[in-house]
Amino acid sequence: LPAAPRRSPRALQRHSSLLSQYSSLLESYTEGEIRQLISALVERYSQAMNSGGHELPLFPQAGSRRKRARARHKPCALKELEVSVSELGLGYESDETVLFRYCSGTCEAAVRSYDLSLKSMRSRRRIKKEKVRARPCCRPLAYDDDVSFLDAYNRYYTVNELSAKECGCV
């Protein structure tokens, strides 16, 4: 059998250098601070698992931390898109286009006591296998006027509460 490829000794040296950097960094912390750091990491991992997330990778892809940080700071806001009536998925066949307004973003600032308590109950496994969210959602608070259109067979339809007018954290 051919010999398996091996790492070069330089990679081993870089690895030990990295370990020495981390060990010197961790030596500057007290035992209590290290325990607090580890418990925060474990809690974060369990929250991700309890919220229906998939297992978190130990070594995420390069740049993913930056992408997550940017995505986390987009506040709840009203966005819009021009789409055909057929694309709305309501079962109508029409080539007419409408302006579809929707809500998108995060609601970190709107966390209430309810959200914190629910998160705690889930992490303690008091609430199991139920689809509940322990954080507010970005949703429409009000809707635009009704939307009317002709379908492909020249029938006239009116749809209400189709497009968001105002968004907020609920």
Side-chain angles (χ1 to χ4, degrees), residues 14-31:
R14 275 187 273 152
H15 185 66
S16 66
S17 170
L18 186 63
L19 287 175
S20 66
Q21 287 176 2
Y22 277 110
S23 63
S24 65
L25 175 70
L26 291 175
E27 286 174 0
S28 66
Y29 289 101
T30 65
E31 184 179 335

Side-chain angles (χ1 to χ4, degrees), residues 8-74:
S8 66
R10 284 178 46 196
L12 184 60
Q13 290 170 352
R14 275 187 273 152
H15 185 66
S16 66
S17 170
L18 186 63
L19 287 175
S20 66
Q21 287 176 2
Y22 277 110
S23 63
S24 65
L25 175 70
L26 291 175
E27 286 174 0
S28 66
Y29 289 101
T30 65
E31 184 179 335
E33 290 172 328
I34 291 175
R35 286 178 191 262
Q36 187 178 9
L37 172 67
I38 291 171
S39 68
L41 290 172
V42 168
E43 181 180 345
R44 185 174 170 193
Y45 178 80
S46 69
Q47 286 173 358
M49 296 304 290
N50 287 339
S51 66
H54 301 291
E55 189 171 333
L56 299 174
L58 291 177
F59 303 103
Q61 296 177 0
S64 64
R65 177 185 291 170
R66 201 172 352 183
K67 288 176 191 172
R68 282 193 315 269
R70 258 187 269 131
R72 215 177 290 137
H73 297 294
K74 290 182 182 175

Side-chain angles (χ1 to χ4, degrees), residues 6 24 30 32 43-44 53 62 69 80 121 127 135 138 153 170:
R6 295 180 178 244
S24 65
T30 65
E43 181 180 345
R44 185 174 170 193
E80 60 184 41
M121 292 299 111
I127 299 174
R135 58 179 169 247
C138 182
Y153 308 104
V170 180

Side-chain angles (χ1 to χ4, degrees), residues 80-92:
E80 60 184 41
L81 202 63
E82 191 171 320
V83 297
S84 73
V85 171
S86 298
E87 289 179 293
L88 292 172
L90 299 175
Y92 301 108

